PDB file of all heavy atoms in Angstrom:
ATOM      1  N   MET A 600    -204.371 -42.649-186.857  1.00 60.00           N
ATOM      2  CA  MET A 600    -204.555 -43.912-186.191  1.00 60.00           C
ATOM      3  C   MET A 600    -203.382 -44.194-185.280  1.00 60.00           C
ATOM      4  O   MET A 600    -202.231 -44.112-185.661  1.00 60.00           O
ATOM      5  CB  MET A 600    -204.657 -45.015-187.259  1.00 60.00           C
ATOM      6  CG  MET A 600    -204.934 -46.370-186.671  1.00 60.00           C
ATOM      7  SD  MET A 600    -205.220 -47.511-188.019  1.00 60.00           S
ATOM      8  CE  MET A 600    -204.671 -48.984-187.255  1.00 60.00           C
ATOM      9  N   PRO A 605    -196.040 -49.133-179.169  1.00 65.00           N
ATOM     10  CA  PRO A 605    -195.326 -47.860-179.251  1.00 65.00           C
ATOM     11  C   PRO A 605    -193.937 -47.991-179.850  1.00 65.00           C
ATOM     12  O   PRO A 605    -193.299 -47.000-180.190  1.00 65.00           O
ATOM     13  CB  PRO A 605    -195.253 -47.396-177.797  1.00 65.00           C
ATOM     14  CG  PRO A 605    -195.345 -48.637-176.997  1.00 65.00           C
ATOM     15  CD  PRO A 605    -196.196 -49.582-177.779  1.00 65.00           C
ATOM     16  N   GLU A 615    -194.376 -38.121-183.044  1.00 66.00           N
ATOM     17  CA  GLU A 615    -194.651 -38.463-181.645  1.00 66.00           C
ATOM     18  C   GLU A 615    -194.102 -39.825-181.260  1.00 66.00           C
ATOM     19  O   GLU A 615    -193.914 -40.128-180.097  1.00 66.00           O
ATOM     20  CB  GLU A 615    -196.158 -38.390-181.369  1.00 66.00           C
ATOM     21  CG  GLU A 615    -196.987 -39.375-182.160  1.00 66.00           C
ATOM     22  CD  GLU A 615    -198.467 -39.160-181.905  1.00 66.00           C
ATOM     23  OE1 GLU A 615    -198.964 -39.706-180.921  1.00 66.00           O
ATOM     24  OE2 GLU A 615    -199.068 -38.422-182.693  1.00 66.00           O
ATOM     25  N   PHE A 617    -191.151 -40.909-182.570  1.00 60.00           N
ATOM     26  CA  PHE A 617    -189.761 -40.869-182.964  1.00 60.00           C
ATOM     27  C   PHE A 617    -188.944 -40.067-181.962  1.00 60.00           C
ATOM     28  O   PHE A 617    -188.015 -39.355-182.309  1.00 60.00           O
ATOM     29  CB  PHE A 617    -189.631 -40.273-184.374  1.00 60.00           C
ATOM     30  CG  PHE A 617    -188.360 -40.658-185.089  1.00 60.00           C
ATOM     31  CD1 PHE A 617    -188.059 -41.975-185.341  1.00 60.00           C
ATOM     32  CD2 PHE A 617    -187.473 -39.679-185.491  1.00 60.00           C
ATOM     33  CE1 PHE A 617    -186.907 -42.318-185.991  1.00 60.00           C
ATOM     34  CE2 PHE A 617    -186.303 -40.015-186.130  1.00 60.00           C
ATOM     35  CZ  PHE A 617    -186.035 -41.342-186.387  1.00 60.00           C
ATOM     36  N   CYS A 618    -189.256 -40.161-180.729  1.00 64.00           N
ATOM     37  CA  CYS A 618    -188.500 -39.544-179.624  1.00 64.00           C
ATOM     38  C   CYS A 618    -188.274 -38.057-179.753  1.00 64.00           C
ATOM     39  O   CYS A 618    -187.231 -37.535-179.390  1.00 64.00           O
ATOM     40  CB  CYS A 618    -187.158 -40.249-179.438  1.00 64.00           C
ATOM     41  SG  CYS A 618    -187.297 -42.020-179.218  1.00 64.00           S
ATOM     42  N   ARG A 620    -187.384 -36.285-182.187  1.00 69.00           N
ATOM     43  CA  ARG A 620    -186.166 -36.009-182.951  1.00 69.00           C
ATOM     44  C   ARG A 620    -186.584 -35.399-184.301  1.00 69.00           C
ATOM     45  O   ARG A 620    -186.602 -36.067-185.299  1.00 69.00           O
ATOM     46  CB  ARG A 620    -185.356 -37.265-183.120  1.00 69.00           C
ATOM     47  CG  ARG A 620    -184.912 -37.818-181.763  1.00 69.00           C
ATOM     48  CD  ARG A 620    -184.201 -39.090-181.908  1.00 69.00           C
ATOM     49  NE  ARG A 620    -182.823 -38.817-182.334  1.00 69.00           N
ATOM     50  CZ  ARG A 620    -181.929 -39.752-182.504  1.00 69.00           C
ATOM     51  NH1 ARG A 620    -182.235 -41.023-182.307  1.00 69.00           N
ATOM     52  NH2 ARG A 620    -180.724 -39.448-182.892  1.00 69.00           N
ATOM     53  N   GLN A 625    -187.174 -35.016-190.264  1.00 79.00           N
ATOM     54  CA  GLN A 625    -187.141 -34.266-191.517  1.00 79.00           C
ATOM     55  C   GLN A 625    -186.225 -34.969-192.532  1.00 79.00           C
ATOM     56  O   GLN A 625    -186.521 -35.043-193.698  1.00 79.00           O
ATOM     57  CB  GLN A 625    -186.663 -32.839-191.278  1.00 79.00           C
ATOM     58  CG  GLN A 625    -187.672 -31.990-190.570  1.00 79.00           C
ATOM     59  CD  GLN A 625    -187.121 -30.616-190.219  1.00 79.00           C
ATOM     60  OE1 GLN A 625    -185.951 -30.324-190.438  1.00 79.00           O
ATOM     61  NE2 GLN A 625    -187.983 -29.759-189.699  1.00 79.00           N
ATOM     62  N   GLN A 628    -188.049 -37.900-193.962  1.00 84.00           N
ATOM     63  CA  GLN A 628    -189.085 -37.467-194.887  1.00 84.00           C
ATOM     64  C   GLN A 628    -188.476 -37.049-196.223  1.00 84.00           C
ATOM     65  O   GLN A 628    -189.017 -37.357-197.275  1.00 84.00           O
ATOM     66  CB  GLN A 628    -189.896 -36.327-194.288  1.00 84.00           C
ATOM     67  CG  GLN A 628    -190.771 -36.769-193.138  1.00 84.00           C
ATOM     68  CD  GLN A 628    -191.409 -35.604-192.386  1.00 84.00           C
ATOM     69  OE1 GLN A 628    -190.936 -34.487-192.426  1.00 84.00           O
ATOM     70  NE2 GLN A 628    -192.484 -35.895-191.671  1.00 84.00           N
ATOM     71  N   LEU A 630    -185.625 -38.140-197.445  1.00 82.00           N
ATOM     72  CA  LEU A 630    -185.147 -39.364-198.076  1.00 82.00           C
ATOM     73  C   LEU A 630    -186.301 -40.108-198.750  1.00 82.00           C
ATOM     74  O   LEU A 630    -186.183 -40.584-199.875  1.00 82.00           O
ATOM     75  CB  LEU A 630    -184.495 -40.266-197.031  1.00 82.00           C
ATOM     76  CG  LEU A 630    -183.937 -41.591-197.516  1.00 82.00           C
ATOM     77  CD1 LEU A 630    -182.834 -41.366-198.555  1.00 82.00           C
ATOM     78  CD2 LEU A 630    -183.418 -42.394-196.344  1.00 82.00           C
ATOM     79  N   LEU A 633    -187.136 -38.410-202.035  1.00 85.00           N
ATOM     80  CA  LEU A 633    -186.158 -38.722-203.078  1.00 85.00           C
ATOM     81  C   LEU A 633    -186.368 -40.127-203.629  1.00 85.00           C
ATOM     82  O   LEU A 633    -186.254 -40.364-204.836  1.00 85.00           O
ATOM     83  CB  LEU A 633    -184.735 -38.583-202.531  1.00 85.00           C
ATOM     84  CG  LEU A 633    -184.286 -37.167-202.174  1.00 85.00           C
ATOM     85  CD1 LEU A 633    -182.948 -37.174-201.483  1.00 85.00           C
ATOM     86  CD2 LEU A 633    -184.247 -36.301-203.410  1.00 85.00           C
ATOM     87  N   LEU A 634    -186.703 -41.066-202.738  1.00 86.00           N
ATOM     88  CA  LEU A 634    -186.978 -42.436-203.180  1.00 86.00           C
ATOM     89  C   LEU A 634    -188.228 -42.491-204.053  1.00 86.00           C
ATOM     90  O   LEU A 634    -188.264 -43.171-205.075  1.00 86.00           O
ATOM     91  CB  LEU A 634    -187.146 -43.356-201.987  1.00 86.00           C
ATOM     92  CG  LEU A 634    -185.860 -43.736-201.250  1.00 86.00           C
ATOM     93  CD1 LEU A 634    -186.170 -44.383-199.916  1.00 86.00           C
ATOM     94  CD2 LEU A 634    -185.002 -44.668-202.100  1.00 86.00           C
ATOM     95  N   LEU A 638    -185.028 -40.440-207.596  1.00 84.00           N
ATOM     96  CA  LEU A 638    -183.734 -39.727-207.678  1.00 84.00           C
ATOM     97  C   LEU A 638    -182.643 -40.557-207.013  1.00 84.00           C
ATOM     98  O   LEU A 638    -181.467 -40.415-207.345  1.00 84.00           O
ATOM     99  CB  LEU A 638    -183.820 -38.347-207.039  1.00 84.00           C
ATOM    100  CG  LEU A 638    -184.732 -37.367-207.776  1.00 84.00           C
ATOM    101  CD1 LEU A 638    -184.909 -36.097-206.952  1.00 84.00           C
ATOM    102  CD2 LEU A 638    -184.176 -37.052-209.156  1.00 84.00           C
ATOM    103  N   THR A 640    -182.101 -44.734-205.239  1.00 88.00           N
ATOM    104  CA  THR A 640    -182.698 -46.079-205.079  1.00 88.00           C
ATOM    105  C   THR A 640    -182.072 -46.746-203.869  1.00 88.00           C
ATOM    106  O   THR A 640    -180.960 -46.389-203.443  1.00 88.00           O
ATOM    107  CB  THR A 640    -182.447 -46.945-206.324  1.00 88.00           C
ATOM    108  OG1 THR A 640    -181.046 -47.057-206.538  1.00 88.00           O
ATOM    109  CG2 THR A 640    -183.120 -46.365-207.563  1.00 88.00           C
ATOM    110  N   ARG A 641    -182.790 -47.705-203.331  1.00 87.00           N
ATOM    111  CA  ARG A 641    -182.293 -48.454-202.177  1.00 87.00           C
ATOM    112  C   ARG A 641    -182.193 -49.908-202.545  1.00 87.00           C
ATOM    113  O   ARG A 641    -183.151 -50.493-203.050  1.00 87.00           O
ATOM    114  CB  ARG A 641    -183.211 -48.281-200.989  1.00 87.00           C
ATOM    115  CG  ARG A 641    -182.724 -49.030-199.784  1.00 87.00           C
ATOM    116  CD  ARG A 641    -183.595 -48.777-198.587  1.00 87.00           C
ATOM    117  NE  ARG A 641    -183.009 -49.473-197.452  1.00 87.00           N
ATOM    118  CZ  ARG A 641    -183.622 -49.638-196.326  1.00 87.00           C
ATOM    119  NH1 ARG A 641    -184.807 -49.120-196.135  1.00 87.00           N
ATOM    120  NH2 ARG A 641    -183.032 -50.287-195.340  1.00 87.00           N
ATOM    121  N   ASN A 644    -179.094 -52.573-197.852  1.00 82.00           N
ATOM    122  CA  ASN A 644    -178.905 -51.517-196.838  1.00 82.00           C
ATOM    123  C   ASN A 644    -178.084 -50.367-197.355  1.00 82.00           C
ATOM    124  O   ASN A 644    -177.415 -49.671-196.562  1.00 82.00           O
ATOM    125  CB  ASN A 644    -178.249 -52.115-195.593  1.00 82.00           C
ATOM    126  CG  ASN A 644    -179.187 -53.029-194.840  1.00 82.00           C
ATOM    127  OD1 ASN A 644    -180.390 -52.821-194.847  1.00 82.00           O
ATOM    128  ND2 ASN A 644    -178.647 -54.038-194.209  1.00 82.00           N
ATOM    129  N   SER A 647    -178.264 -45.641-203.716  1.00 85.00           N
ATOM    130  CA  SER A 647    -177.505 -45.271-204.900  1.00 85.00           C
ATOM    131  C   SER A 647    -178.135 -44.020-205.502  1.00 85.00           C
ATOM    132  O   SER A 647    -179.357 -43.863-205.512  1.00 85.00           O
ATOM    133  CB  SER A 647    -177.562 -46.383-205.946  1.00 85.00           C
ATOM    134  OG  SER A 647    -176.965 -47.551-205.445  1.00 85.00           O
ATOM    135  N   GLN A 651    -174.834 -38.171-211.375  1.00 86.00           N
ATOM    136  CA  GLN A 651    -173.515 -37.923-210.805  1.00 86.00           C
ATOM    137  C   GLN A 651    -173.407 -36.514-210.206  1.00 86.00           C
ATOM    138  O   GLN A 651    -172.802 -36.331-209.172  1.00 86.00           O
ATOM    139  CB  GLN A 651    -172.442 -38.133-211.882  1.00 86.00           C
ATOM    140  CG  GLN A 651    -171.106 -38.436-211.340  1.00 86.00           C
ATOM    141  CD  GLN A 651    -171.049 -39.751-210.546  1.00 86.00           C
ATOM    142  OE1 GLN A 651    -171.988 -40.519-210.473  1.00 86.00           O
ATOM    143  NE2 GLN A 651    -169.928 -39.981-209.942  1.00 86.00           N
ATOM    144  N   PHE A 652    -174.001 -35.516-210.860  1.00 88.00           N
ATOM    145  CA  PHE A 652    -173.951 -34.151-210.330  1.00 88.00           C
ATOM    146  C   PHE A 652    -174.758 -34.029-209.045  1.00 88.00           C
ATOM    147  O   PHE A 652    -174.337 -33.343-208.112  1.00 88.00           O
ATOM    148  CB  PHE A 652    -174.436 -33.135-211.368  1.00 88.00           C
ATOM    149  CG  PHE A 652    -173.532 -33.031-212.550  1.00 88.00           C
ATOM    150  CD1 PHE A 652    -173.904 -33.540-213.769  1.00 88.00           C
ATOM    151  CD2 PHE A 652    -172.280 -32.443-212.425  1.00 88.00           C
ATOM    152  CE1 PHE A 652    -173.076 -33.443-214.875  1.00 88.00           C
ATOM    153  CE2 PHE A 652    -171.433 -32.336-213.508  1.00 88.00           C
ATOM    154  CZ  PHE A 652    -171.827 -32.850-214.741  1.00 88.00           C
ATOM    155  N   SER A 659    -171.308 -32.925-200.987  1.00 83.00           N
ATOM    156  CA  SER A 659    -170.813 -31.637-200.472  1.00 83.00           C
ATOM    157  C   SER A 659    -171.669 -31.134-199.318  1.00 83.00           C
ATOM    158  O   SER A 659    -171.151 -30.567-198.361  1.00 83.00           O
ATOM    159  CB  SER A 659    -170.740 -30.599-201.582  1.00 83.00           C
ATOM    160  OG  SER A 659    -172.042 -30.188-201.980  1.00 83.00           O
ATOM    161  N   LEU A 662    -170.800 -33.265-196.184  1.00 68.00           N
ATOM    162  CA  LEU A 662    -169.509 -32.868-195.617  1.00 68.00           C
ATOM    163  C   LEU A 662    -169.582 -31.530-194.924  1.00 68.00           C
ATOM    164  O   LEU A 662    -168.950 -31.299-193.876  1.00 68.00           O
ATOM    165  CB  LEU A 662    -168.438 -32.836-196.698  1.00 68.00           C
ATOM    166  CG  LEU A 662    -168.044 -34.177-197.285  1.00 68.00           C
ATOM    167  CD1 LEU A 662    -167.087 -33.979-198.463  1.00 68.00           C
ATOM    168  CD2 LEU A 662    -167.432 -35.076-196.235  1.00 68.00           C
ATOM    169  N   LYS A 663    -170.419 -30.614-195.449  1.00 66.00           N
ATOM    170  CA  LYS A 663    -170.599 -29.304-194.853  1.00 66.00           C
ATOM    171  C   LYS A 663    -171.175 -29.411-193.440  1.00 66.00           C
ATOM    172  O   LYS A 663    -170.822 -28.697-192.541  1.00 66.00           O
ATOM    173  CB  LYS A 663    -171.519 -28.459-195.734  1.00 66.00           C
ATOM    174  CG  LYS A 663    -171.786 -27.081-195.216  1.00 66.00           C
ATOM    175  CD  LYS A 663    -172.690 -26.308-196.170  1.00 66.00           C
ATOM    176  CE  LYS A 663    -172.995 -24.937-195.640  1.00 66.00           C
ATOM    177  NZ  LYS A 663    -173.887 -24.194-196.537  1.00 66.00           N
TER     178      LYS A 663
END
Side-chain angles (χ1 to χ4, degrees):
M600 182 174 152
E615 64 185 274
F617 202 61
C618 305
R620 299 176 78 178
Q625 289 175 355
Q628 289 170 339
L630 181 61
L633 293 173
L634 285 167
L638 293 172
T640 59
R641 181 176 182 190
N644 290 328
S647 298
Q651 203 63 6
F652 293 109
S659 71
L662 291 174
K663 180 179 178 181

